[in-house]
Amino acid sequence: EIKMTLQIQTFILGPIENNTYLISDPATSQAVLIDPATPSRKVMDYLQEHNLNLNAIWITHAHFDHIGGVRWFLDQKKETIKAAIHSDAVELWENGGSAREFGFDFDPGPIPQIILNENDILSVGRYQFKVLHTPGHTPGHVVYYCSEENIAFCGDVIFFHGVGRTDLAISNTDELMDNISKKILTLPAKTLLYPGHGQFT
């Protein structure tokens, strides 16, 4: 018997080179998209080629460069998928994901239908992910952690040799460092962290 483990496909999308992750369970053909930065035919083609059913979009935080493709992907699959976001991220979503701080207007579309809170459990096929609320970079930032596979999708909380920026209006450096030490550094040492930009660590 071949052990079919969780698959992770990384798409680097958009002008700020965001990591958009497509995670899937080959045994059930279920897939979830994390932080779709821009509309992408490449992602749709990949789903089709591998006969995957996109079930949901999980958002780590509502900055414009991580949610730029959400509305488009929902439109492609509007009968079957919903987006998920932390309750504290709704305000940033409604404010256009801080796009105005960067000099342009952006409307991400309707608020995601699934509102998350700390320790909620989400699944893709046979795999369960725990929602860890990790404010600091933004108030509603979350990390999606799968203990079985030792992986965490951590958005802009922490990077390879770096941490999320806290020079933006809604950021808080102390809170970020506190959450990194309590929620990230306490994960098992072999945990792979998949950040919003750059390589995994």
Side-chain angles (χ1 to χ4, degrees):
E1 189 196 356
I2 303 164
K3 179 165 169 11
M4 299 176 85
T5 122
L6 186 78
Q7 303 288 305
I8 302 168
Q9 194 64 26
T10 307
F11 297 88
I12 298 174
L13 303 176
I16 316 180
E17 300 200 327
N18 284 66
N19 291 328
T20 292
Y21 297 106
L22 181 70
I23 57 173
S24 58
D25 175 7
T28 61
S29 299
Q30 305 300 316
V32 165
L33 198 55
I34 300 177
D35 286 358
T38 60
S40 172
R41 269 285 33 117
K42 266 194 292 198
V43 175
M44 298 307 288
D45 292 346
Y46 185 91
L47 287 164
Q48 219 166 359
E49 277 162 37
H50 296 81
N51 294 316
L52 296 172
N53 300 313
L54 186 60
N55 291 118
I57 294 172
W58 298 349
I59 296 155
T60 60
H61 65 299
H63 270 149
F64 68 90
D65 58 318
H66 294 261
I67 60 173
V70 173
R71 175 188 255 180
W72 186 85
F73 280 102
L74 291 176
D75 283 348
Q76 309 300 305
K77 298 261 176 196
K78 53 176 152 299
E79 302 314 308
T80 52
I81 69 168
K82 293 183 168 83
I85 197 170
H86 190 271
S87 54
D88 291 349
V90 170
E91 189 180 343
L92 179 58
W93 180 283
E94 290 175 326
N95 289 334
S98 283
R100 267 180 230 102
E101 284 192 55
F102 293 85
F104 64 98
D105 270 327
F106 166 62
D107 176 7
I111 292 165
Q113 289 169 286
I114 301 168
I115 301 297
L116 303 171
N117 290 293
E118 173 80 347
N119 294 329
D120 281 356
I121 302 291
L122 296 171
S123 58
V124 51
R126 303 162 298 162
Y127 297 93
Q128 292 199 320
F129 283 78
K130 191 186 224 181
V131 175
L132 308 176
H133 183 212
T134 51
H137 177 65
T138 67
H141 200 302
V142 295
V143 167
Y144 298 104
Y145 171 58
C146 178
S147 57
E148 188 190 347
E149 293 287 292
N150 293 302
I151 52 174
F153 293 92
C154 52
D156 287 0
V157 166
I158 194 163
F159 301 112
F160 178 65
H161 291 180
V163 298
R165 51 190 291 196
T166 53
D167 57 336
L168 305 164
I170 53 172
S171 309
N172 181 317
T173 309
D174 292 343
E175 201 172 31
L176 180 76
M177 298 322 275
D178 192 45
N179 277 303
I180 288 173
S181 62
K182 286 183 179 148
K183 305 225 173 129
I184 306 291
L185 300 181
T186 50
L187 296 174
K190 59 184 172 187
T191 309
L192 274 182
L193 305 178
Y194 286 87
H197 308 267
Q199 66 183 42
F200 61 79
T201 183

